[in-house]
Amino acid sequence: MSFDRSVKIAPSILSADFADFGREIRAIEDQGADWVHVDVMDGHFVPALTFGAQAVRAFRHHVKTFMDVHLMISPVDPYIEAYAEAGADMITAHVEAESHIHRTMQAIKATGKMAGVSLNPATPLESIEYLLDTVDMVLLMTVNPGFGGQKFIPSGVEKTRRLREMIGDRPIHIQVDGGITPETAPAVVAAGADVLVAGSAVFRGGSVDKPEIYGKNIRAIREAVEGAV
Ligand code: DX5
Ligand code: ZN
């Protein structure tokens, strides 16, 4: 995949119908999703538990775009191979989840997959300063991870701006995740984010039987950020 900084919308299937992932994935892609964001939670690093590598492998059969796997699990290293084999295109791990996050990034890259590193809202950017020559994406959490539907934490805008400066010319995506809506997206895009994860803002009001609502919600985010780039 060639690198580009155009805005990409990555609906989080955390807000999908958990009994119907295949059709939900096809619906959001048909309605204009650029990436599919897959939230893996272990009931330990975060309180909630979602799904594991076997489910992610099943999702792969339906994802035609780009499967972006956000691991909210600790430890991470023992599971990297499993998510790579499950067909992730990008594997993102939290800096707070492993003592040797540089090694974790190397292990992801060794599988041939793209590597992302994620920071919780309270984690300073300095924690990844020496990772920037290793990663393909930095995910800034704009809520505390664990649940969909939370309120955007405004300090994420300034953090995005500072991260964009740190990145300079490096081909590294900036992803923001949590509370992204047509109201909050313009400021993070203006600050330098190029991948917008959105759960509730995409799935709200729609269903596999009313997929056009997903399309309408995706377009609302896209239109809101036009001009912010
Ligand atoms: C939160 C997850 C997010 C979540 C976002 O822990 O990482 O991807 O699904 O949901 P919204 O967009 O509803 O805040
Ligand atoms: Zn996520």
Side-chain angles (χ1 to χ4, degrees):
M1 198 177 70
S2 66
F3 182 82
D4 85 272
R5 235 178 251 297
S6 64
V7 173
K8 291 159 281 291
I9 307 219
S12 162
I13 57 167
L14 187 62
S15 294
D17 175 356
F18 268 45
D20 210 356
F21 280 121
R23 289 208 299 160
E24 290 277 41
I25 289 167
R26 292 201 301 276
I28 52 172
E29 289 196 338
D30 288 348
Q31 294 296 325
D34 299 298
W35 290 14
V36 175
H37 184 80
V38 176
D39 285 306
V40 176
M41 303 187 183
D42 66 353
H44 165 73
F45 180 68
V46 289
L49 182 64
T50 54
F51 32 69
Q54 237 179 316
V56 173
R57 181 191 301 271
F59 303 159
R60 179 74 262 182
H61 300 300
H62 302 278
V63 177
K64 294 197 212 78
T65 54
F66 185 87
M67 190 161 72
D68 166 34
V69 177
H70 177 194
L71 298 179
M72 283 162 278
I73 67 173
S74 180
V76 182
D77 295 357
Y79 303 101
I80 290 171
E81 200 65 47
Y83 287 98
E85 280 170 12
D89 293 304
M90 171 89 74
I91 300 176
T92 298
H94 272 258
V95 69
E96 305 86 2
E98 278 289 353
S99 326
H100 304 288
I101 192 71
H102 190 280
R103 178 184 295 152
T104 304
M105 293 298 123
Q106 287 178 317
I108 295 172
K109 296 294 278 185
T111 66
K113 305 298 182 177
M114 294 174 83
V117 65
S118 180
L119 280 75
N120 283 335
T123 304
L125 288 173
E126 285 67 28
S127 62
I128 55 154
E129 198 176 341
Y130 296 103
L131 278 183
L132 293 180
D133 291 320
T134 317
V135 299
D136 299 292
M137 184 173 83
V138 179
L139 191 186
L140 295 182
M141 289 303 306
T142 41
V143 299
N144 287 295
F147 310 97
Q150 303 180 76
K151 209 167 162 298
F152 179 82
I153 299 173
S155 57
V157 176
E158 173 60 16
K159 201 172 181 182
T160 302
R161 188 172 299 119
R162 287 188 48 218
L163 174 62
R164 182 69 194 85
E165 274 171 31
M166 276 171 72
I167 285 176
D169 293 335
R170 297 177 180 91
I172 300 177
H173 296 289
I174 300 180
Q175 182 174 64
V176 286
D177 184 4
I180 301 297
T181 66
E183 290 70 43
T184 58
V188 276
V189 168
D194 66 301
V195 189
L196 307 178
V197 175
S200 7
V202 167
F203 285 89
R204 174 164 55 209
S207 70
V208 290
D209 300 319
K210 279 190 285 177
E212 63 284 355
I213 306 283
Y214 297 160
K216 193 169 154 261
N217 291 341
I218 290 171
R219 278 194 304 281
I221 300 172
R222 245 191 248 292
E223 283 161 18
V225 302
E226 264 169 31
V229 188

